[in-house]
Amino acid sequence: MPLDPLAKRLLTMMAAAAPQARSRPSVEARRQSLAKLMQFARADAPDVTTSDGVLPGPGGALPYRLYSPAGADDRAPGFVFFHGGGLVAGSIATHDRIAAALAHATGCRLVSVDYRLAPEHKFPAAVDDAIAATEWVAREAASLGIDAGRLVLGGDSAGATLAAIVCQEAAQTAGLSIVAQCLICPVLDFEEASPSRKAFAEGHLIDRVTIEADLADYLPEALDTADPRISPLRATRLAGLPTAIIHTAEYDPMRDEGDAYARKLLAAGVTVEHVCHEGMVHNFQAMGAILPQAQLVLSQIGEQVRRAVGT
């Protein structure tokens, strides 16, 4: 399908505002750019209330925001959410509207986690924080109003990377019950550039220069990018993982790795619901003020998660 006309208009506007010669963005520029982009998010979630807190992380206290949809009982399903931003940008503030929309759509009490970012905190800080946050939510489920037996992990873009990794790690951890993983435009492979990464390397919202800069900021030198804690697509032990809800976009550089992960999970006997959204670009789900498809995908995710958690 051709690129969606509204998405094409957005890309044209962004290209006109960008400098002629693309150079590696500074960390601060990367963070500001994502914050501006996330202003296009729209959440129809008037019934969701929030409260902020901190949870213990391996490097110190981690802020979190708890979203509670109206009508949720004392033991609602839980959703641990990790924001996108290449592991160098983003926060619970930038993704506030998306988190609220997901809580509303899924009926889950959602915990959005402010994990540590690179380059100030390189790999494996974000992974360690994501694991610690998930374990804490499971331990403190009762006080959060969450049913520890109905826990979902999810995220968008690099946040989906963390969700996939935590699910793989949790499969080896006794007592941690995750019923579903929700991966939105996931980044899953830094070992090899897929055809979609090459085809959409320029002019499709996130480009090769930004992806390479994020990776350089995130990884210490001389690390193996095939490590599943960096590239979860490279994992070989996938049997027994939670049900996977995967949403990819046709014109996303990361499309192929999301598609490949869906196929690998299916081959390992994992239940998978995978949708590739025609005409869409990376991060489209967060641009509801521009793209009507964003609202549709959040509603669709809500239905899928509700089925997975049994509500």
Side-chain angles (χ1 to χ4, degrees):
M1 178 177 175
L3 184 63
D4 179 88
L6 293 175
K8 184 176 182 180
R9 181 182 178 188
L10 171 65
L11 296 179
T12 300
M13 292 169 59
M14 293 179 65
Q20 289 282 332
R22 280 286 288 141
S23 59
R24 171 177 170 161
S26 68
V27 173
E28 186 57 33
R30 173 77 166 101
R31 291 171 179 170
Q32 290 178 358
S33 176
L34 180 65
K36 290 179 181 178
L37 185 67
M38 294 303 294
Q39 291 176 1
F40 292 116
R42 190 180 79 192
D44 295 329
D47 60 344
V48 174
T49 58
T50 64
S51 61
D52 290 352
V54 294
L55 61 88
L62 298 174
Y64 72 86
R65 183 165 294 165
L66 175 65
Y67 298 78
S68 298
D73 60 30
D74 292 340
R75 286 172 56 83
F79 191 130
V80 182
F81 177 77
F82 305 111
H83 65 79
L87 303 169
V88 303
S91 67
I92 56 177
T94 60
H95 285 65
D96 178 69
R97 295 176 184 174
I98 294 301
L102 285 169
H104 171 77
T106 63
C108 295
R109 280 202 171 87
L110 184 145
V111 181
S112 181
V113 181
D114 237 349
Y115 56 87
R116 288 173 292 172
L117 298 177
E120 296 89 346
H121 305 283
K122 290 182 177 289
F123 173 85
V127 172
D128 291 344
D129 287 354
I131 293 171
T134 304
E135 292 175 342
W136 180 84
V137 170
R139 287 196 309 270
E140 300 297 325
S143 64
L144 295 168
I146 287 173
D147 180 355
R150 293 188 293 166
L151 199 59
V152 178
L153 295 191
D156 60 347
S157 193
T161 314
L162 295 177
I165 292 168
V166 176
C167 285
Q168 292 179 7
E169 295 285 317
Q172 315 304 320
T173 304
L176 188 58
S177 178
I178 301 169
V179 297
Q181 53 186 313
C182 180
L183 313 180
I184 308 170
C185 293
V187 186
L188 298 169
D189 188 22
F190 289 106
E191 174 66 7
E192 182 179 351
S194 66
S196 64
R197 283 217 188 198
K198 296 173 182 176
F200 309 126
E202 310 293 339
H204 288 84
L205 197 75
I206 185 167
D207 57 25
R208 178 166 42 210
V209 171
T210 300
I211 294 170
E212 291 176 351
D214 288 348
L215 188 63
D217 285 333
Y218 176 58
L219 291 184
E221 293 183 8
L223 278 188
D224 181 8
T225 53
D227 183 336
R229 296 204 307 163
I230 298 168
S231 298
L233 178 62
R234 298 290 160 173
T236 56
R237 298 171 60 185
L238 300 176
L241 289 185
T243 293
I245 297 165
I246 302 175
H247 287 264
T248 55
E250 184 181 8
Y251 288 86
D252 183 354
M254 274 64 80
R255 180 199 66 202
D256 288 350
E257 56 212 76
D259 295 353
Y261 197 51
R263 292 194 301 271
K264 285 189 70 171
L265 290 172
L266 279 170
V270 177
T271 300
V272 176
E273 292 192 53
H274 172 220
V275 182
C276 182
H277 295 268
E278 295 181 343
M280 289 293 107
V281 295
H282 188 73
N283 207 43
F284 76 98
Q285 80 290 339
M287 292 181 283
I290 299 173
L291 302 175
Q293 187 70 14
Q295 295 291 311
L296 295 175
V297 69
L298 293 174
S299 296
Q300 187 175 22
I301 289 171
E303 294 171 2
Q304 292 171 318
V305 170
R306 285 175 185 268
R307 286 198 299 270
V309 300
T311 59

